[in-house]
Amino acid sequence: MLLTWIAEVAEEPLALEPGNRRVEWETNTWSLGARDENGRPLSAAEVVAAFEQTAAGIRERIRKLGFSGVATFYVWHDGQAGQLRCSTGSVPPEELPFNGTYVVADRLGSIVEGFLADNMPGVVAWSDLDEAEGHLEQAMAEPEIAPLRVWTSSVGTSH
């Protein structure tokens, strides 16, 4: 089911409104959390290929629309929600609409692998909480938050 949903993103409504990023975010952002419907484990390569095909489909749609600006299709793993998410925006990769720090990942595969390796998406195990509690003092002294890793693909006609 996940591969089907990724493919369907290329056909969903698409808003490219550089003056209204909120409309772009609300229209173009998708959360994908389901696994394969037959229960067979998906490979990272299959999921990566599906996202690359979706990016190509969106790129073609944007060209047909005659949009002449920069546009970026991007994918990230929301570990707290246990979902892969993707969106398209009329921004370059360095201006994606995230509130926190993010880095552009070279490979989509590493992001997908993290998602596929999550046996309990969106759930934090008690043992992890106990371990986190033990490191609370250290964290208070030196807060270390890893930036969100995001894969991007240029889909606009202007680079």
Side-chain angles (χ1 to χ4, degrees), residues 123-136:
V123 175
V124 178
W126 282 110
S127 60
D128 291 343
L129 291 175
D130 290 340
E131 185 178 315
E133 200 173 291
H135 296 292
L136 183 58

Side-chain angles (χ1 to χ4, degrees), residues 78-103:
D78 181 336
Q80 288 181 323
Q83 299 171 331
L84 279 175
R85 295 192 178 180
C86 63
S87 191
T88 304
S90 58
V91 294
E94 61 274 4
E95 294 178 22
L96 298 177
F98 291 108
N99 290 328
T101 305
Y102 69 93
V103 295

